[in-house]
Amino acid sequence: MMIQVSVNNEIKSIAPATLLSDALQDWGYGDSKIAVAINQEFVPRSTYTERALSNNDQIDIVRPVGGG
Amino acid sequence: MNDEQLLRYSRQIMLPDVDIDGQEKLLAARVLIIGLGGLGSPVAMYLAAAGIGHLVLADFDTVDLTNLQRQIAHTSARIGVNKAVSAARSLRELNPDIVLDCIETILDAENLAEQINHADVVVDCTDNFATRFAINAVCVAAKVPLVSGAAIRLEGQVAVFDARTESSPCYRCLYEEDSDDATCAANGVLAPLVGIIGSMQALEAIKLICGFGTGLTGRLLLLDARHMQWREMKLPKDQQCPVCGTP
């Protein structure tokens, strides 16, 4: 039984309780310098390996903008 | 305040959130603006017009023809002039009532620390991540609030990091160092976008100084100008943050 989450508005199926760190690796963001918000709240980077994803989580991958 | 100041600032003094007390705080404030480009232009112009008593303008770059599409503090006649100096000329015409300091050299670690320690608010209008992380680290150490804005293409981001508050996140809680710079020179940027983000930075700086309203601390606003959609995300402090976390 898989759960569904949205990643930048794209629906993805993953195993229940997948860790955020593993999911990011699977989705190709393993080495990217990005910030991740779940349900409109950024997840502290130090907790990526503890944060388990839930059904219907809305995940936003935010790329840094540095221009001025 | 003298009669001319009361008249000059009357339209914001009449706001109960500002009042005489707030205007006096603005006149007594010292704000450091780092970068006088697309963001720094509207930041500096609005803060000068609003009567921030002391503005320190830092930029080592000179005005280029390709800047003028969006960097509205500069003029065609000032191509080749240092950007801090060029901006100061526009600001002086806007408001002869304030103190303007220009820093035309690259701020090394020592100068950056000294300037930030003397500032009430720092406004980050720079165009590269190395400088953004350096400014953030000093603001955390010096406990000086940082108004951070960024824009490229049709995307903008704005946030406030207030190290005076223990629970406030810092820029390093949000992003990792060694992020790749995406420059306006390589990616383009639409002129009014930097005006929107810079204007919001100036507004948040004024709120921090006067001390009214709800600040942007602990939130990141993201603008998608192509679809004119704002998103707001909460930004908690990372307790393990290498800059502001507790070791």
Side-chain angles (χ1 to χ4, degrees), chain A residues 8-9 29-48 50 58-68, chain B residues 37-39 125-129 132 150-152 155 157 171-179 220 222 231-238 240:
Chain A
N8 290 355
N9 294 322
Y29 295 108
D31 298 318
S32 304
K33 307 284 184 183
I34 46 149
V36 180
I38 300 180
N39 304 327
Q40 286 77 50
E41 179 163 351
F42 284 102
V43 182
R45 197 164 280 100
S46 63
T47 66
Y48 284 8
E50 302 156 18
Q58 188 189 330
I59 299 159
D60 284 288
I61 310 285
V62 177
R63 292 188 184 281
V65 171
Chain B
L39 297 173
C125 304
T126 61
D127 63 356
N128 67 88
F129 288 113
R132 287 177 181 274
I152 199 155
E155 304 157 41
Q157 299 184 1
Y171 186 70
R172 182 64 181 77
C173 294
L174 177 62
Y175 292 127
E176 280 184 287
E177 287 182 50
D178 301 321
S179 296
L220 178 74
L222 300 110
R231 286 187 300 163
E232 175 179 326
M233 310 229 180
K234 283 186 204 162
L235 176 63
K237 181 188 183 93
D238 188 343
Q240 305 295 314

Short mmCIF file of all heavy atoms in Angstrom, two decimals, chain A residues 8-9 29-48 50 58-68, chain B residues 37-39 125-129 132 150-152 155 157 171-179 220 222 231-238 240:
data_model
loop_
_atom_site.label_atom_id
_atom_site.label_comp_id
_atom_site.label_asym_id
_atom_site.label_seq_id
_atom_site.Cartn_x
_atom_site.Cartn_y
_atom_site.Cartn_z
N ASN A 8 6.20 19.84 -5.49
CA ASN A 8 6.03 20.99 -6.40
C ASN A 8 4.82 20.77 -7.32
O ASN A 8 4.91 20.94 -8.54
CB ASN A 8 7.30 21.25 -7.21
CG ASN A 8 8.43 21.77 -6.35
OD1 ASN A 8 8.24 22.04 -5.16
ND2 ASN A 8 9.61 21.92 -6.92
N ASN A 9 3.72 20.38 -6.70
CA ASN A 9 2.42 20.18 -7.36
C ASN A 9 2.34 18.95 -8.25
O ASN A 9 1.36 18.78 -8.98
CB ASN A 9 2.02 21.43 -8.17
CG ASN A 9 1.75 22.61 -7.26
OD1 ASN A 9 1.20 22.46 -6.17
ND2 ASN A 9 2.18 23.78 -7.69
N TYR A 29 17.28 14.84 -5.70
CA TYR A 29 17.73 16.08 -5.04
C TYR A 29 18.85 15.82 -4.03
O TYR A 29 19.15 16.68 -3.20
CB TYR A 29 16.57 16.75 -4.30
CG TYR A 29 15.48 17.26 -5.21
CD1 TYR A 29 14.24 16.62 -5.27
CD2 TYR A 29 15.68 18.38 -6.01
CE1 TYR A 29 13.23 17.09 -6.10
CE2 TYR A 29 14.68 18.85 -6.84
CZ TYR A 29 13.46 18.20 -6.88
OH TYR A 29 12.47 18.67 -7.69
N GLY A 30 19.44 14.61 -4.09
CA GLY A 30 20.42 14.21 -3.09
C GLY A 30 21.52 15.22 -2.83
O GLY A 30 21.86 15.51 -1.70
N ASP A 31 22.07 15.78 -3.92
CA ASP A 31 23.22 16.68 -3.75
C ASP A 31 22.84 18.15 -3.98
O ASP A 31 23.71 19.01 -4.06
CB ASP A 31 24.33 16.29 -4.73
CG ASP A 31 24.83 14.87 -4.45
OD1 ASP A 31 24.99 14.54 -3.25
OD2 ASP A 31 25.03 14.11 -5.41
N SER A 32 21.54 18.41 -4.12
CA SER A 32 21.13 19.78 -4.46
C SER A 32 21.10 20.66 -3.23
O SER A 32 20.77 20.22 -2.14
CB SER A 32 19.74 19.77 -5.10
OG SER A 32 19.73 18.93 -6.22
N LYS A 33 21.46 21.94 -3.44
CA LYS A 33 21.38 22.93 -2.37
C LYS A 33 19.97 23.54 -2.42
O LYS A 33 19.74 24.54 -3.08
CB LYS A 33 22.42 24.02 -2.58
CG LYS A 33 23.83 23.50 -2.76
CD LYS A 33 24.43 23.08 -1.45
CE LYS A 33 25.87 22.66 -1.64
NZ LYS A 33 26.47 22.16 -0.40
N ILE A 34 19.07 22.90 -1.71
CA ILE A 34 17.67 23.32 -1.77
C ILE A 34 17.14 23.42 -0.35
O ILE A 34 17.76 22.96 0.60
CB ILE A 34 16.81 22.30 -2.55
CG1 ILE A 34 17.14 20.88 -2.06
CG2 ILE A 34 17.03 22.42 -4.05
CD1 ILE A 34 16.03 19.92 -2.12
N ALA A 35 15.97 24.04 -0.23
CA ALA A 35 15.25 24.04 1.03
C ALA A 35 13.94 23.29 0.79
O ALA A 35 13.42 23.30 -0.32
CB ALA A 35 14.98 25.46 1.51
N VAL A 36 13.45 22.60 1.81
CA VAL A 36 12.24 21.79 1.65
C VAL A 36 11.19 22.22 2.66
O VAL A 36 11.46 22.29 3.86
CB VAL A 36 12.55 20.30 1.85
CG1 VAL A 36 11.28 19.47 1.69
CG2 VAL A 36 13.62 19.83 0.88
N ALA A 37 10.00 22.52 2.14
CA ALA A 37 8.88 22.84 3.02
C ALA A 37 7.84 21.74 2.89
O ALA A 37 7.59 21.23 1.79
CB ALA A 37 8.27 24.19 2.65
N ILE A 38 7.28 21.32 4.01
CA ILE A 38 6.17 20.38 4.00
C ILE A 38 4.96 21.10 4.59
O ILE A 38 5.04 21.64 5.70
CB ILE A 38 6.49 19.11 4.81
CG1 ILE A 38 7.71 18.41 4.21
CG2 ILE A 38 5.29 18.18 4.85
CD1 ILE A 38 8.12 17.13 4.94
N ASN A 39 3.90 21.12 3.82
CA ASN A 39 2.65 21.79 4.22
C ASN A 39 2.94 23.23 4.69
O ASN A 39 2.55 23.67 5.76
CB ASN A 39 1.93 20.99 5.30
CG ASN A 39 1.64 19.56 4.84
OD1 ASN A 39 1.41 19.32 3.66
ND2 ASN A 39 1.71 18.62 5.76
N GLN A 40 3.66 23.94 3.83
CA GLN A 40 3.97 25.38 4.00
C GLN A 40 4.86 25.67 5.21
O GLN A 40 4.85 26.78 5.73
CB GLN A 40 2.69 26.23 4.11
CG GLN A 40 1.96 26.44 2.79
CD GLN A 40 1.17 25.21 2.39
OE1 GLN A 40 0.40 24.69 3.18
NE2 GLN A 40 1.36 24.77 1.16
N GLU A 41 5.63 24.68 5.67
CA GLU A 41 6.59 24.96 6.74
C GLU A 41 7.93 24.30 6.41
O GLU A 41 7.98 23.08 6.15
CB GLU A 41 6.06 24.45 8.09
CG GLU A 41 7.05 24.69 9.21
CD GLU A 41 6.43 24.59 10.60
OE1 GLU A 41 5.19 24.50 10.71
OE2 GLU A 41 7.20 24.58 11.57
N PHE A 42 9.00 25.10 6.41
CA PHE A 42 10.32 24.54 6.10
C PHE A 42 10.73 23.53 7.16
O PHE A 42 10.45 23.69 8.36
CB PHE A 42 11.37 25.65 5.99
CG PHE A 42 11.28 26.41 4.70
CD1 PHE A 42 10.67 27.67 4.67
CD2 PHE A 42 11.75 25.87 3.51
CE1 PHE A 42 10.56 28.37 3.46
CE2 PHE A 42 11.65 26.56 2.31
CZ PHE A 42 11.04 27.81 2.29
N VAL A 43 11.37 22.48 6.70
CA VAL A 43 11.86 21.43 7.60
C VAL A 43 13.33 21.72 7.90
O VAL A 43 14.12 21.87 6.96
CB VAL A 43 11.74 20.04 6.93
CG1 VAL A 43 12.19 18.94 7.88
CG2 VAL A 43 10.31 19.81 6.45
N PRO A 44 13.69 21.85 9.18
CA PRO A 44 15.11 22.07 9.49
C PRO A 44 15.97 20.97 8.86
O PRO A 44 15.64 19.78 8.97
CB PRO A 44 15.16 22.01 11.02
CG PRO A 44 13.77 22.37 11.45
CD PRO A 44 12.86 21.80 10.38
N ARG A 45 17.05 21.39 8.20
CA ARG A 45 17.89 20.44 7.45
C ARG A 45 18.41 19.31 8.34
O ARG A 45 18.54 18.18 7.91
CB ARG A 45 19.04 21.22 6.81
CG ARG A 45 19.74 20.50 5.69
CD ARG A 45 20.58 21.46 4.87
NE ARG A 45 19.78 22.21 3.92
CZ ARG A 45 19.35 23.46 4.10
NH1 ARG A 45 19.68 24.11 5.19
NH2 ARG A 45 18.63 24.06 3.20
N SER A 46 18.65 19.63 9.60
CA SER A 46 19.20 18.62 10.51
C SER A 46 18.19 17.53 10.85
O SER A 46 18.55 16.52 11.46
CB SER A 46 19.69 19.29 11.80
OG SER A 46 18.60 19.90 12.48
N THR A 47 16.91 17.71 10.45
CA THR A 47 15.90 16.69 10.78
C THR A 47 15.40 15.92 9.56
O THR A 47 14.46 15.15 9.66
CB THR A 47 14.68 17.34 11.49
OG1 THR A 47 14.01 18.21 10.57
CG2 THR A 47 15.12 18.13 12.71
N TYR A 48 16.04 16.12 8.39
CA TYR A 48 15.61 15.41 7.17
C TYR A 48 15.62 13.89 7.36
O TYR A 48 14.81 13.17 6.79
CB TYR A 48 16.52 15.75 5.98
CG TYR A 48 16.29 17.11 5.35
CD1 TYR A 48 15.44 18.05 5.91
CD2 TYR A 48 16.95 17.45 4.16
CE1 TYR A 48 15.26 19.30 5.33
CE2 TYR A 48 16.77 18.69 3.57
CZ TYR A 48 15.94 19.61 4.16
OH TYR A 48 15.77 20.84 3.57
N GLU A 50 15.01 12.27 10.01
CA GLU A 50 14.04 11.80 11.01
C GLU A 50 12.61 12.00 10.56
O GLU A 50 11.69 11.39 11.10
CB GLU A 50 14.21 12.58 12.33
CG GLU A 50 15.58 12.49 12.95
CD GLU A 50 15.86 13.70 13.85
OE1 GLU A 50 14.90 14.40 14.26
OE2 GLU A 50 17.04 13.93 14.14
N GLN A 58 2.06 18.00 1.30
CA GLN A 58 2.39 18.89 0.18
C GLN A 58 3.82 19.37 0.36
O GLN A 58 4.12 20.13 1.29
CB GLN A 58 1.43 20.07 0.17
CG GLN A 58 1.58 20.93 -1.08
CD GLN A 58 0.77 22.21 -0.97
OE1 GLN A 58 -0.27 22.25 -0.33
NE2 GLN A 58 1.27 23.26 -1.61
N ILE A 59 4.69 18.90 -0.52
CA ILE A 59 6.12 19.17 -0.38
C ILE A 59 6.55 20.21 -1.42
O ILE A 59 6.24 20.06 -2.61
CB ILE A 59 6.93 17.87 -0.55
CG1 ILE A 59 6.50 16.86 0.53
CG2 ILE A 59 8.44 18.13 -0.49
CD1 ILE A 59 6.81 15.43 0.20
N ASP A 60 7.21 21.25 -0.96
CA ASP A 60 7.74 22.25 -1.88
C ASP A 60 9.26 22.24 -1.80
O ASP A 60 9.83 22.39 -0.73
CB ASP A 60 7.22 23.65 -1.52
CG ASP A 60 5.79 23.84 -1.96
OD1 ASP A 60 5.56 23.95 -3.18
OD2 ASP A 60 4.89 23.85 -1.08
N ILE A 61 9.88 22.03 -2.96
CA ILE A 61 11.33 22.12 -3.07
C ILE A 61 11.63 23.56 -3.50
O ILE A 61 11.22 23.98 -4.58
CB ILE A 61 11.87 21.14 -4.15
CG1 ILE A 61 11.31 19.73 -3.94
CG2 ILE A 61 13.39 21.20 -4.22
CD1 ILE A 61 11.90 18.97 -2.82
N VAL A 62 12.30 24.31 -2.64
CA VAL A 62 12.55 25.72 -2.92
C VAL A 62 14.03 25.92 -3.21
O VAL A 62 14.89 25.55 -2.41
CB VAL A 62 12.13 26.60 -1.73
CG1 VAL A 62 12.47 28.07 -1.99
CG2 VAL A 62 10.63 26.44 -1.47
N ARG A 63 14.30 26.48 -4.39
CA ARG A 63 15.69 26.77 -4.76
C ARG A 63 16.07 28.16 -4.28
O ARG A 63 15.27 29.09 -4.35
CB ARG A 63 15.86 26.69 -6.28
CG ARG A 63 15.71 25.29 -6.80
CD ARG A 63 16.06 25.16 -8.28
NE ARG A 63 15.80 23.80 -8.71
CZ ARG A 63 16.60 22.77 -8.48
NH1 ARG A 63 17.73 22.95 -7.82
NH2 ARG A 63 16.28 21.56 -8.89
N PRO A 64 17.31 28.30 -3.78
CA PRO A 64 17.71 29.64 -3.33
C PRO A 64 17.76 30.62 -4.49
O PRO A 64 18.12 30.25 -5.61
CB PRO A 64 19.11 29.40 -2.74
CG PRO A 64 19.57 28.08 -3.25
CD PRO A 64 18.35 27.29 -3.59
N VAL A 65 17.36 31.84 -4.21
CA VAL A 65 17.47 32.94 -5.17
C VAL A 65 18.47 33.92 -4.58
O VAL A 65 18.33 34.33 -3.43
CB VAL A 65 16.10 33.61 -5.40
CG1 VAL A 65 16.25 34.88 -6.23
CG2 VAL A 65 15.15 32.65 -6.11
N GLY A 66 19.49 34.28 -5.33
CA GLY A 66 20.53 35.13 -4.76
C GLY A 66 20.70 36.46 -5.47
O GLY A 66 21.49 37.29 -5.05
N GLY A 67 19.95 36.69 -6.53
CA GLY A 67 20.14 37.90 -7.33
C GLY A 67 19.68 39.15 -6.60
O GLY A 67 18.80 39.11 -5.75
N GLY A 68 20.32 40.27 -6.94
CA GLY A 68 19.93 41.49 -6.28
C GLY A 68 20.09 42.68 -7.21
O GLY A 68 19.87 43.81 -6.81
N GLY B 37 22.16 47.88 -6.26
CA GLY B 37 21.72 47.47 -7.59
C GLY B 37 20.19 47.53 -7.69
O GLY B 37 19.58 48.50 -7.26
N GLY B 38 19.63 46.45 -8.23
CA GLY B 38 18.18 46.42 -8.47
C GLY B 38 17.37 46.50 -7.20
O GLY B 38 16.34 47.20 -7.15
N LEU B 39 17.77 45.80 -6.17
CA LEU B 39 17.06 45.85 -4.88
C LEU B 39 17.47 47.08 -4.08
O LEU B 39 16.65 47.77 -3.50
CB LEU B 39 17.35 44.59 -4.05
CG LEU B 39 16.91 43.26 -4.64
CD1 LEU B 39 17.44 42.11 -3.78
CD2 LEU B 39 15.39 43.17 -4.75
N CYS B 125 21.00 43.44 -0.11
CA CYS B 125 20.57 43.63 -1.50
C CYS B 125 21.67 43.13 -2.43
O CYS B 125 21.85 43.66 -3.53
CB CYS B 125 20.30 45.11 -1.76
SG CYS B 125 19.08 45.83 -0.65
N THR B 126 22.43 42.13 -1.99
CA THR B 126 23.59 41.68 -2.75
C THR B 126 23.19 40.66 -3.82
O THR B 126 22.05 40.19 -3.86
CB THR B 126 24.64 41.05 -1.81
OG1 THR B 126 24.05 39.92 -1.17
CG2 THR B 126 25.09 42.03 -0.77
N ASP B 127 24.15 40.32 -4.67
CA ASP B 127 23.84 39.47 -5.82
C ASP B 127 24.59 38.14 -5.79
O ASP B 127 24.69 37.48 -6.81
CB ASP B 127 24.15 40.22 -7.12
CG ASP B 127 25.63 40.55 -7.25
OD1 ASP B 127 26.39 40.26 -6.30
OD2 ASP B 127 26.03 41.10 -8.30
N ASN B 128 25.13 37.76 -4.61
CA ASN B 128 25.84 36.48 -4.58
C ASN B 128 25.72 35.84 -3.21
O ASN B 128 25.59 36.53 -2.19
CB ASN B 128 27.31 36.67 -4.98
CG ASN B 128 28.08 37.47 -3.96
OD1 ASN B 128 28.62 36.89 -3.01
ND2 ASN B 128 28.10 38.78 -4.11
N PHE B 129 25.77 34.49 -3.20
CA PHE B 129 25.51 33.76 -1.95
C PHE B 129 26.65 33.90 -0.95
O PHE B 129 26.40 33.94 0.26
CB PHE B 129 25.24 32.29 -2.25
CG PHE B 129 23.90 32.07 -2.90
CD1 PHE B 129 23.81 31.63 -4.21
CD2 PHE B 129 22.74 32.32 -2.20
CE1 PHE B 129 22.57 31.45 -4.81
CE2 PHE B 129 21.50 32.14 -2.79
CZ PHE B 129 21.42 31.70 -4.10
N ARG B 132 25.99 36.90 0.99
CA ARG B 132 24.78 36.73 1.80
C ARG B 132 25.06 35.92 3.07
O ARG B 132 24.61 36.27 4.16
CB ARG B 132 23.68 36.04 0.98
CG ARG B 132 23.07 36.97 -0.06
CD ARG B 132 22.03 36.28 -0.93
NE ARG B 132 21.52 37.22 -1.92
CZ ARG B 132 20.52 38.06 -1.71
NH1 ARG B 132 19.90 38.05 -0.54
NH2 ARG B 132 20.14 38.91 -2.64
N ALA B 150 15.76 38.92 -2.47
CA ALA B 150 16.47 38.37 -3.62
C ALA B 150 15.50 38.28 -4.78
O ALA B 150 14.30 38.05 -4.59
CB ALA B 150 17.04 36.99 -3.30
N ALA B 151 16.03 38.46 -5.99
CA ALA B 151 15.16 38.38 -7.17
C ALA B 151 15.97 37.98 -8.38
O ALA B 151 17.14 38.38 -8.53
CB ALA B 151 14.51 39.74 -7.42
N ILE B 152 15.35 37.18 -9.23
CA ILE B 152 15.97 36.82 -10.50
C ILE B 152 14.85 36.36 -11.44
O ILE B 152 13.80 35.91 -10.96
CB ILE B 152 17.05 35.74 -10.32
CG1 ILE B 152 17.99 35.72 -11.52
CG2 ILE B 152 16.43 34.37 -10.09
CD1 ILE B 152 19.35 35.18 -11.22
N GLU B 155 11.15 35.65 -10.36
CA GLU B 155 10.96 35.10 -9.01
C GLU B 155 11.59 36.00 -7.97
O GLU B 155 12.69 36.51 -8.18
CB GLU B 155 11.67 33.74 -8.90
CG GLU B 155 11.28 32.69 -9.89
CD GLU B 155 12.40 31.66 -10.03
OE1 GLU B 155 13.02 31.27 -9.01
OE2 GLU B 155 12.66 31.26 -11.18
N GLN B 157 12.14 36.54 -3.48
CA GLN B 157 12.01 36.01 -2.13
C GLN B 157 12.33 37.13 -1.15
O GLN B 157 13.23 37.93 -1.39
CB GLN B 157 12.97 34.83 -1.89
CG GLN B 157 12.71 33.65 -2.82
CD GLN B 157 13.60 32.44 -2.54
OE1 GLN B 157 14.42 32.46 -1.63
NE2 GLN B 157 13.41 31.41 -3.34
N TYR B 171 19.52 33.10 8.00
CA TYR B 171 19.57 32.76 6.57
C TYR B 171 20.15 31.36 6.36
O TYR B 171 19.74 30.63 5.45
CB TYR B 171 20.40 33.82 5.84
CG TYR B 171 20.44 33.69 4.34
CD1 TYR B 171 19.30 33.95 3.58
CD2 TYR B 171 21.60 33.32 3.68
CE1 TYR B 171 19.32 33.83 2.20
CE2 TYR B 171 21.65 33.22 2.30
CZ TYR B 171 20.50 33.48 1.57
OH TYR B 171 20.54 33.36 0.19
N ARG B 172 21.09 30.98 7.24
CA ARG B 172 21.75 29.68 7.11
C ARG B 172 20.81 28.53 7.52
O ARG B 172 21.05 27.38 7.16
CB ARG B 172 23.04 29.67 7.94
CG ARG B 172 23.87 28.39 7.87
CD ARG B 172 24.40 28.12 6.48
NE ARG B 172 25.16 26.89 6.43
CZ ARG B 172 24.62 25.66 6.41
NH1 ARG B 172 23.32 25.52 6.44
NH2 ARG B 172 25.39 24.60 6.35
N CYS B 173 19.77 28.82 8.33
CA CYS B 173 18.75 27.80 8.64
C CYS B 173 17.98 27.45 7.36
O CYS B 173 17.48 26.34 7.21
CB CYS B 173 17.74 28.31 9.67
SG CYS B 173 18.40 28.62 11.31
N LEU B 174 17.86 28.45 6.48
CA LEU B 174 17.07 28.26 5.25
C LEU B 174 17.88 27.59 4.16
O LEU B 174 17.43 26.60 3.57
CB LEU B 174 16.56 29.63 4.78
CG LEU B 174 15.78 29.68 3.47
CD1 LEU B 174 14.49 28.86 3.58
CD2 LEU B 174 15.45 31.12 3.09
N TYR B 175 19.06 28.13 3.87
CA TYR B 175 19.85 27.63 2.74
C TYR B 175 21.24 27.17 3.17
O TYR B 175 21.80 27.69 4.13
CB TYR B 175 20.01 28.73 1.68
CG TYR B 175 18.72 29.08 0.98
CD1 TYR B 175 18.28 30.40 0.91
CD2 TYR B 175 17.92 28.09 0.40
CE1 TYR B 175 17.09 30.73 0.27
CE2 TYR B 175 16.73 28.41 -0.24
CZ TYR B 175 16.33 29.72 -0.31
OH TYR B 175 15.16 30.04 -0.94
N GLU B 176 21.76 26.23 2.40
CA GLU B 176 23.12 25.72 2.64
C GLU B 176 24.14 26.57 1.89
O GLU B 176 23.84 27.12 0.83
CB GLU B 176 23.22 24.29 2.11
CG GLU B 176 22.64 23.26 3.02
CD GLU B 176 22.89 21.87 2.45
OE1 GLU B 176 22.23 21.52 1.47
OE2 GLU B 176 23.75 21.16 2.99
N GLU B 177 25.34 26.62 2.46
CA GLU B 177 26.40 27.37 1.78
C GLU B 177 26.82 26.67 0.50
O GLU B 177 26.46 25.52 0.26
CB GLU B 177 27.58 27.59 2.72
CG GLU B 177 27.22 28.63 3.76
CD GLU B 177 28.36 28.95 4.72
OE1 GLU B 177 29.46 29.22 4.24
OE2 GLU B 177 28.10 28.96 5.92
N ASP B 178 27.58 27.39 -0.30
CA ASP B 178 28.05 26.90 -1.61
C ASP B 178 26.91 26.67 -2.60
O ASP B 178 27.01 25.84 -3.49
CB ASP B 178 28.86 25.60 -1.46
CG ASP B 178 30.07 25.80 -0.57
OD1 ASP B 178 30.69 26.86 -0.69
OD2 ASP B 178 30.37 24.91 0.23
N SER B 179 25.81 27.41 -2.41
CA SER B 179 24.77 27.35 -3.42
C SER B 179 25.29 28.02 -4.68
O SER B 179 26.10 28.94 -4.63
CB SER B 179 23.51 28.08 -2.94
OG SER B 179 22.96 27.42 -1.81
N LEU B 220 9.06 33.09 5.11
CA LEU B 220 9.65 33.43 3.82
C LEU B 220 8.50 33.67 2.85
O LEU B 220 7.59 32.84 2.75
CB LEU B 220 10.54 32.29 3.30
CG LEU B 220 11.17 32.52 1.92
CD1 LEU B 220 12.30 33.54 1.99
CD2 LEU B 220 11.69 31.21 1.32
N LEU B 222 7.48 34.09 -1.07
CA LEU B 222 7.99 33.78 -2.40
C LEU B 222 7.02 34.34 -3.44
O LEU B 222 5.81 34.09 -3.35
CB LEU B 222 8.09 32.26 -2.59
CG LEU B 222 9.00 31.51 -1.62
CD1 LEU B 222 8.17 30.65 -0.69
CD2 LEU B 222 9.97 30.64 -2.39
N ARG B 231 3.42 33.11 -2.20
CA ARG B 231 3.29 32.00 -1.26
C ARG B 231 4.03 32.38 0.01
O ARG B 231 5.02 33.10 -0.03
CB ARG B 231 3.91 30.72 -1.83
CG ARG B 231 3.04 30.10 -2.91
CD ARG B 231 3.60 28.75 -3.32
NE ARG B 231 4.96 28.88 -3.83
CZ ARG B 231 5.80 27.87 -3.96
NH1 ARG B 231 5.44 26.66 -3.59
NH2 ARG B 231 7.01 28.06 -4.45
N GLU B 232 3.51 31.91 1.13
CA GLU B 232 4.17 32.17 2.41
C GLU B 232 4.48 30.83 3.07
O GLU B 232 3.64 29.95 3.13
CB GLU B 232 3.23 32.98 3.32
CG GLU B 232 3.83 33.16 4.70
CD GLU B 232 2.93 33.97 5.64
OE1 GLU B 232 2.25 34.90 5.16
OE2 GLU B 232 2.92 33.66 6.84
N MET B 233 5.71 30.70 3.52
CA MET B 233 6.11 29.47 4.23
C MET B 233 6.70 29.84 5.58
O MET B 233 7.46 30.80 5.69
CB MET B 233 7.16 28.72 3.42
CG MET B 233 6.72 28.52 1.98
SD MET B 233 6.89 26.88 1.43
CE MET B 233 6.28 27.05 -0.26
N LYS B 234 6.33 29.06 6.57
CA LYS B 234 6.93 29.27 7.90
C LYS B 234 8.36 28.77 7.87
O LYS B 234 8.66 27.76 7.24
CB LYS B 234 6.15 28.47 8.96
CG LYS B 234 4.85 29.09 9.37
CD LYS B 234 4.26 28.29 10.53
CE LYS B 234 2.76 28.49 10.58
NZ LYS B 234 2.10 27.44 11.36
N LEU B 235 9.21 29.49 8.57
CA LEU B 235 10.62 29.10 8.63
C LEU B 235 11.05 28.99 10.09
O LEU B 235 11.34 29.99 10.73
CB LEU B 235 11.48 30.14 7.89
CG LEU B 235 12.99 29.89 7.95
CD1 LEU B 235 13.36 28.58 7.28
CD2 LEU B 235 13.74 31.05 7.30
N PRO B 236 11.06 27.78 10.64
CA PRO B 236 11.51 27.64 12.02
C PRO B 236 13.03 27.66 12.11
O PRO B 236 13.72 27.42 11.12
CB PRO B 236 10.96 26.27 12.41
CG PRO B 236 10.84 25.50 11.14
CD PRO B 236 10.66 26.50 10.02
N LYS B 237 13.53 27.98 13.29
CA LYS B 237 14.96 27.93 13.52
C LYS B 237 15.42 26.48 13.49
O LYS B 237 14.73 25.59 14.01
CB LYS B 237 15.24 28.53 14.90
CG LYS B 237 16.70 28.60 15.33
CD LYS B 237 16.74 29.03 16.80
CE LYS B 237 18.15 29.19 17.30
NZ LYS B 237 18.66 30.55 17.15
N ASP B 238 16.56 26.22 12.87
CA ASP B 238 17.16 24.88 12.92
C ASP B 238 18.07 24.84 14.15
O ASP B 238 19.10 25.53 14.18
CB ASP B 238 17.97 24.62 11.64
CG ASP B 238 18.46 23.18 11.56
OD1 ASP B 238 18.45 22.48 12.60
OD2 ASP B 238 18.85 22.75 10.46
N GLN B 240 20.11 22.85 15.06
CA GLN B 240 21.47 22.38 14.74
C GLN B 240 22.16 23.29 13.72
O GLN B 240 23.21 22.92 13.17
CB GLN B 240 21.41 20.97 14.16
CG GLN B 240 20.70 19.95 15.04
CD GLN B 240 21.44 19.72 16.34
OE1 GLN B 240 22.65 19.55 16.32
NE2 GLN B 240 20.73 19.73 17.46
#
